[in-house]
Amino acid sequence: MTSDLIVFLVLSLVAVAAALGMVLSRNAVYSALFLVLNFVTVAIFYLILGAPFIAMSQITVYAGAIMVLFLFVIMLLGAESLAPSEVLPWQKWLARGLAFALIAELIYLFWNTRPEIITTPGLVVNSMDSLRAMAMSLFNDFLLPFEVTSILLLVAMVGAIVLSKREKAGQK
Amino acid sequence: MVHVDYYVILSAILFTIGALGVLVRRNPLIIFMSIELMLNAGNLAFVAFGRSHELLGTPNFNPFSGQIFVFFVIAVAAAEVAVGLALIVEIFKTKKNINIDEMNSLKG
């Protein structure tokens, strides 16, 4: 068993445990913090897979910006824990069964249809060269999607402002 | 050496946990977080496949396309969270409650 495999197994154990903790914990603030742990673990996987830029974006955008927004809204609404509802009680058991079926299908599929055995060399964090090449690719081959993304972000920003704008009574 | 299959199976496990969270939880904020978890699992598979094809030397394959797709997914997720959380705050303002079982009418 090589050191790469040990690192992978430990990290994946942390990732799965954090994901389960997110789904299962009663307090929404704990859920958000578990999700931050999961995102950081996945960022380390990106580093191992030779994607340092994506790892840093993951930490700044996901673990930083998005989760701060989540925590802010959770605390703003006081929605740390909701009363358990008894609408559709059979749905939880059905959901567990379906989730088990989904994971069984996915693993069966991946295990039986893999085209060839591919390995990833171990803990290699690329130098700045790969970052430069990725930027060249992003701004040459993927320039149009990049610009469309900027429009998407603008639309989302305007949409969030319009949705949360408080209309004054009597004016409209 | 770690096989790329391991990454894909880890990604499948994380995706399933996210889907389970969407189905069993009643707090819309946690449902949102589960959706983020599923997006993240997809991203992990993207990067792992991109890396493996880069190492295989697949012809006509841009070695960064997996990472660039992940970059776009992150941007879309940020936009989605901004709008979705604004919607949740607005629903809370009108209904004083965010239990997802009680959101069964389109008109507030």
Side-chain angles (χ1 to χ4, degrees), chain A residues 3-4 7-8 11 44 47-49 120-126, chain B residues 7:
Chain A
S3 60
D4 296 347
V7 169
F8 175 83
L11 278 177
I44 299 172
L47 273 181
I48 294 173
L49 288 168
T120 54
L123 302 166
V124 182
V125 178
N126 287 19
Chain B
Y7 282 101

Side-chain angles (χ1 to χ4, degrees), chain A residues 46 49-51 53-54 134 137-138 142, chain B residues 39 42-54 61-74:
Chain A
Y46 291 158
L49 288 168
F53 174 68
I54 295 300
M134 180 184 163
S137 176
L138 179 60
F142 292 90
Chain B
L39 287 172
N43 287 349
L44 184 62
F46 260 127
V47 174
F49 277 129
R51 178 72 171 163
S52 67
H53 279 277
E54 181 188 350
F61 179 74
N62 181 347
F64 299 104
S65 47
Q67 299 183 28
I68 289 173
F69 264 76
V70 170
F71 179 70
F72 290 136
V73 170
I74 289 177

Side-chain angles (χ1 to χ4, degrees), chain A residues 87-168:
Chain A
V87 185
L88 303 178
W90 45 269
Q91 192 191 357
K92 282 191 177 182
W93 296 102
L94 183 64
R96 282 172 203 161
L98 287 177
F100 187 75
L102 178 65
I103 191 70
E105 279 172 6
L106 285 173
I107 289 182
Y108 176 80
L109 208 63
F110 288 134
W111 204 252
N112 281 295
T113 63
R114 52 181 172 171
E116 61 259 277
I117 292 188
I118 307 157
T119 57
T120 54
L123 302 166
V124 182
V125 178
N126 287 19
S127 61
M128 294 299 282
D129 286 345
S130 86
L131 192 55
R132 188 175 294 123
M134 180 184 163
M136 291 300 287
S137 176
L138 179 60
F139 288 108
N140 286 308
D141 305 336
F142 292 90
L143 185 61
L144 182 65
F146 185 79
E147 297 296 335
V148 173
T149 306
S150 71
I151 295 175
L152 176 75
L153 287 173
L154 176 69
V155 170
M157 192 172 74
V158 173
I161 292 171
V162 167
L163 279 174
S164 54
K165 194 179 65 170
R166 197 182 294 261
E167 287 185 14
K168 291 204 178 74

Side-chain angles (χ1 to χ4, degrees), chain B residues 19-66:
Chain B
L20 186 65
V22 170
L23 290 175
V24 300
R25 295 307 301 263
R26 284 291 167 273
N27 191 336
L29 291 160
I30 294 182
I31 290 177
F32 248 106
M33 288 188 230
S34 303
I35 293 172
E36 298 302 319
L37 186 67
M38 287 195 277
L39 287 172
N40 213 36
N43 287 349
L44 184 62
F46 260 127
V47 174
F49 277 129
R51 178 72 171 163
S52 67
H53 279 277
E54 181 188 350
L55 292 171
L56 272 180
T58 308
N60 297 324
F61 179 74
N62 181 347
F64 299 104
S65 47

